[in-house]
Amino acid sequence: MRIGIVIATLLLVWIQGRAQDAQFSQFYANPVLINPAFIGNTIQSRFTANYRNQWAGVPNSTGFTTYAFGYEHNMENYNSGIGLQFLHDRAGTGALRTTTVMLGYAYRIRVTRHFSIKTGLQFGVGNRFIDFSELTFNDQLQTGSNVSSAEADFRQAARYYMDINVGAIGYTRMYYFGVSLLHLNRPDISLLGNGVRIPVKFHLHGGYKIPVKRDIKKRIKSEVTIAANYKHEGNRDQLDIGGYFNYKPVMFGLWYRGIPLKNIEPQFINNDAIVILVGYNKDGFALGYSFDLTVSKLTAATSGGAHEVSVKFEFASRKNQRKRRRRSRFMIPCPKF
């Protein structure tokens, strides 16, 4: 067996055995990715786009890049929201690609005048495959060919699977808390036919909004939002915790990701990154940029950190714009940027 095939096979097994979802530092720039109950948390309609370039400084690596696009619509008359999400993840020089398309629905239940609950469901399809244009096999080195005979062994290895996510959130105008279960059906993502199933991913999150300054009409002009998002998948877990200062229309944020009191392995402390964020949000348009300063053993100098950009555009018809203030009472007060 060719050395290239052996290396590729071992790489695929290692990646699948430790399969973890792609993540965004600006996780509330597209909150539907962590909890389908966030679907429709907008005045009427919302487009979102996210881009992440992680560890571009790792030697001989093309980096880990992730793209996400989404559309949501709030059907206020039916206490409902619908949404469509697309995500594509590229796992560096491993040439592994993952693409998912998810359709979701959320329903709001008004418990009291000031407290509501939303539940959400997502279902869709995923695809994992190998991009052979980024792999070089042993026989290519010997013959100088652009194509390896090893491709035939893996060309049919693309895996399509169904995925299901569920979640719920309780909230008022000033705070929220939620829980979600992703990959509830534990889909088989193996490319080699050995039945590797992705673990159920558990999210627990919440936040609190603290008004700092109001105008003469009691409208909030500046505020601080503190929030946290704990996630657990397989034998790995992590915590994002931090806050944002929003002096409209500018926003600044600082986050920490990791659980320093819990080791990943006996010799590895669960530290990942410190995240610095700047953003702009006005008249339904938002733009955010963040940088992850790596604090793990990989180090910032070696990894190059991670760059992330988010874009959001919310819009509503004139009729719904007039209802904006009334509808804002039912918006989940999570950070928006």
Side-chain angles (χ1 to χ4, degrees):
M1 181 178 290
R2 294 178 177 83
I3 294 176
I5 298 178
V6 175
I7 294 175
T9 302
L10 292 175
L11 179 62
L12 287 170
V13 171
W14 183 86
I15 290 174
Q16 294 176 95
R18 295 176 175 263
Q20 301 289 308
D21 286 332
Q23 65 178 354
F24 288 100
S25 294
Q26 300 179 45
F27 51 90
Y28 282 116
N30 194 346
V32 176
L33 293 177
I34 66 169
N35 192 332
F38 281 112
I39 293 173
N41 186 38
T42 179
I43 297 301
Q44 186 174 9
S45 297
R46 172 169 61 190
F47 287 101
T48 55
N50 307 76
Y51 167 75
R52 178 177 176 85
N53 184 2
Q54 180 171 319
W55 299 344
V58 174
N60 302 316
S61 171
T62 55
F64 295 75
T65 55
T66 307
Y67 306 84
F69 302 93
Y71 170 75
E72 301 160 66
H73 183 74
N74 179 12
M75 300 184 293
E76 178 64 27
N77 293 336
Y78 301 96
N79 296 321
S80 302
I82 56 174
L84 180 66
Q85 290 288 323
F86 169 86
L87 184 142
H88 178 75
D89 181 61
R90 165 181 167 174
T93 53
L96 183 67
R97 306 289 180 263
T98 303
T99 302
T100 57
V101 179
M102 304 291 288
L103 181 65
Y105 172 80
Y107 184 78
R108 177 175 60 84
I109 303 170
R110 188 175 179 183
V111 180
T112 68
R113 181 180 177 184
H114 300 289
F115 181 76
S116 297
I117 292 175
K118 283 189 73 176
T119 58
L121 169 69
Q122 275 183 318
F123 62 93
V125 295
N127 171 250
R128 286 162 63 89
F129 68 96
I130 306 169
D131 184 353
F132 285 93
S133 66
E134 294 193 9
L135 293 177
T136 301
F137 291 86
N138 190 46
D139 60 335
Q140 291 176 266
L141 299 176
Q142 294 176 343
T143 64
S145 173
N146 292 327
V147 179
S148 170
S149 59
E151 291 191 23
D153 298 329
F154 294 99
R155 182 64 69 183
Q156 304 301 320
R159 166 72 65 175
Y160 288 90
Y161 55 89
M162 178 177 289
D163 207 358
I164 300 175
N165 304 327
V166 297
I169 293 176
Y171 63 98
T172 68
R173 296 187 67 180
M174 305 308 295
Y175 69 85
Y176 65 95
F177 55 90
V179 61
S180 63
L181 297 173
L182 310 185
H183 318 303
L184 190 63
N185 58 322
R186 298 196 63 218
D188 183 355
I189 59 173
S190 171
L191 297 178
L192 303 178
N194 55 351
V196 176
R197 294 186 174 276
I198 190 169
V200 175
K201 186 176 184 180
F202 170 76
H203 278 272
L204 181 65
H205 34 263
Y208 191 83
K209 181 186 294 186
I210 306 171
V212 176
K213 184 179 180 180
R214 298 178 183 266
D215 62 16
I216 194 172
K217 295 183 179 180
K218 302 299 182 180
R219 293 175 299 191
I220 297 176
K221 300 298 292 182
S222 63
E223 62 193 13
V224 171
T225 301
I226 55 176
N229 177 42
Y230 171 77
K231 48 204 168 185
H232 183 278
E233 186 174 17
N235 60 351
R236 296 287 185 264
D237 60 353
Q238 213 166 54
L239 175 68
D240 294 286
I241 186 167
Y244 303 84
F245 174 68
N246 185 5
Y247 191 80
K248 300 180 180 180
V250 182
M251 179 178 289
F252 303 93
L254 184 65
W255 288 82
Y256 168 77
R257 182 165 59 242
I259 306 178
L261 300 180
K262 180 180 180 181
N263 288 6
I264 300 175
E265 303 288 348
Q267 69 274 27
F268 293 112
I269 299 175
N270 194 345
N271 282 329
D272 188 356
I274 293 174
V275 183
I276 302 169
L277 165 76
V278 293
Y280 174 87
N281 190 344
K282 186 176 182 180
D283 297 332
F285 173 78
L287 176 65
Y289 167 77
S290 63
F291 177 74
D292 290 20
L293 181 65
T294 305
V295 295
S296 67
K297 284 192 174 183
L298 185 59
T299 76
T302 302
S303 70
H307 301 272
E308 196 170 301
V309 177
S310 66
V311 179
K312 179 199 72 176
F313 179 60
E314 292 185 275
F315 60 94
S317 65
R318 291 185 178 181
K319 178 180 179 180
N320 284 295
Q321 283 285 4
R322 290 194 295 268
K323 298 178 181 179
R324 187 180 185 94
R325 293 189 64 185
R326 181 180 66 85
R327 290 191 172 195
S328 66
R329 293 180 302 169
F330 303 113
M331 297 297 104
I332 302 171
C334 62
K336 291 186 176 183
F337 47 89

